Amino acid sequence: MKSQVTLKGKPKRLAVLDYGLFEVHSGPRTIGICGFVVETDANEVVLIDTGFPEKYARDAEAATTEDELGSFGRVLSVTPDNMPGPQLAKLGLAKSDITLMIQSHTHIDHVGDMAGYPHAPILISAAERALPRPLYWSGKQMMDWPDRDYHLVQGDMDLGHGFEVLLCPGHAPGQLAFMVQLPQTGWVLLTSDAISRASEIDEKFAGSWDDDLAIHHGDRLMKLASERGALVIYGHSPEQWPTLKKAPEWFD
């Protein structure tokens, strides 16, 4: 395992990947499952998260039963088109083009295709990688860690010029968020599940792995976004997701 990785180029553009729709029972609320691609001006392609495991596109009901996910919610739409390969294809990319993969954290809707990029190193928080297996869901931890070069995040770090990785434990032990500076859009804050939706701030992040840490990091992320005038893309916002620009479109 390694502790340092650095991009050669600066972020050039960013795309949102559509990994499907899920209904959370509490609420209830319908949420989008997202991933991100960041291209740099040095032809690097960074993939952040990979959605649900492919078995959910084959038979969501059977997969939900196997993983005991039904106590939390239900898959509304996870199709073959919502898998990373087809989503990347919308951008003219293939899985083999990925030069670095980042795991924001290791819950089931973020790690489904973590093993699908054997040529690419994985950037992940040290706290998550120290677990015997990825968190997955319901304590089952059914997935094994892929045999890869892992670069471990111990704290906030600059992945490259204009690409900041922020360690924000709370939702999960090693939750990461990201600040990316684009040529036209400016700063973009990708909160991932550090702030899944704006209303979570008022709800005091109830139900998080650590509510107090989640509150602390949620506050600092929003302060940072305000200071920089950043566009905030939340992890699972029912209000934002339907109107959010997605692949094949880019934020430049």
Side-chain angles (χ1 to χ4, degrees):
M1 299 201 191
K2 304 174 182 178
S3 58
Q4 297 294 326
V5 62
T6 304
L7 295 176
K8 297 176 182 177
K10 297 181 291 186
K12 180 175 66 175
R13 55 185 185 171
L14 177 152
V16 179
L17 305 184
D18 180 356
Y19 291 147
L21 287 174
F22 188 82
E23 183 182 80
V24 180
H25 289 327
S26 62
R29 61 182 182 274
T30 298
I31 63 173
I33 308 301
C34 63
F36 304 96
V37 170
V38 179
E39 280 192 351
T40 77
D41 57 11
N43 298 316
E44 297 154 304
V45 183
V46 179
L47 174 64
I48 303 175
D49 292 344
T50 59
F52 274 104
E54 188 177 9
K55 65 183 181 181
Y56 281 85
R58 295 194 301 266
D59 189 335
E61 185 176 349
T64 297
T65 299
E66 181 180 21
D67 292 334
E68 299 178 6
L69 190 60
S71 62
F72 180 68
R74 65 188 181 100
V75 168
L76 294 179
S77 178
V78 174
T79 70
D81 187 61
N82 296 120
M83 295 294 101
Q87 286 294 303
L88 290 169
K90 291 176 182 286
L91 302 169
L93 298 170
K95 290 171 69 171
S96 58
D97 293 318
I98 302 304
T99 56
L100 175 67
M101 190 189 152
I102 301 178
Q103 279 300 149
S104 66
H105 62 300
T106 60
H107 283 148
I108 187 172
D109 54 328
H110 296 262
V111 297
D113 195 35
M114 182 168 58
Y117 312 83
H119 58 286
I122 297 175
L123 182 74
I124 189 171
S125 69
E128 300 266 323
R129 185 58 184 86
L131 300 169
R133 291 183 172 190
L135 290 167
Y136 202 66
W137 174 252
S138 191
K140 298 176 74 71
Q141 296 185 287
M142 295 175 64
M143 293 178 62
D144 290 316
W145 292 106
D147 184 12
R148 299 288 185 275
D149 287 333
Y150 289 89
H151 297 268
L152 304 183
V153 178
Q154 306 276 2
D156 292 354
M157 59 171 283
D158 291 330
L159 184 57
H161 182 78
F163 197 138
E164 299 173 6
V165 178
L166 308 171
L167 182 61
C168 302
H171 174 78
Q175 176 71 58
L176 301 178
F178 312 93
M179 265 285 193
V180 179
Q181 188 175 33
L182 300 175
Q184 302 300 322
T185 306
W187 285 105
V188 181
L189 171 62
L190 307 176
T191 67
S192 182
D193 288 14
I195 311 174
S196 67
R197 59 195 186 281
S199 61
E200 197 172 30
I201 298 170
D202 293 332
E203 296 164 8
K204 304 298 183 184
F205 298 89
S208 298
W209 170 75
D210 187 310
D211 294 0
D212 290 339
L213 278 175
I215 291 169
H216 168 75
H217 289 291
D219 286 347
R220 82 175 181 105
L221 286 177
M222 294 310 293
K223 181 180 179 182
L224 184 60
S226 177
E227 291 171 349
R228 297 184 180 182
L231 167 66
V232 179
I233 298 180
Y234 296 101
H236 299 290
S237 170
E239 297 79 21
Q240 185 181 51
W241 182 251
T243 61
L244 189 63
K245 185 164 62 176
K246 307 175 186 70
E249 297 183 84
W250 293 89
F251 291 91
D252 296 311

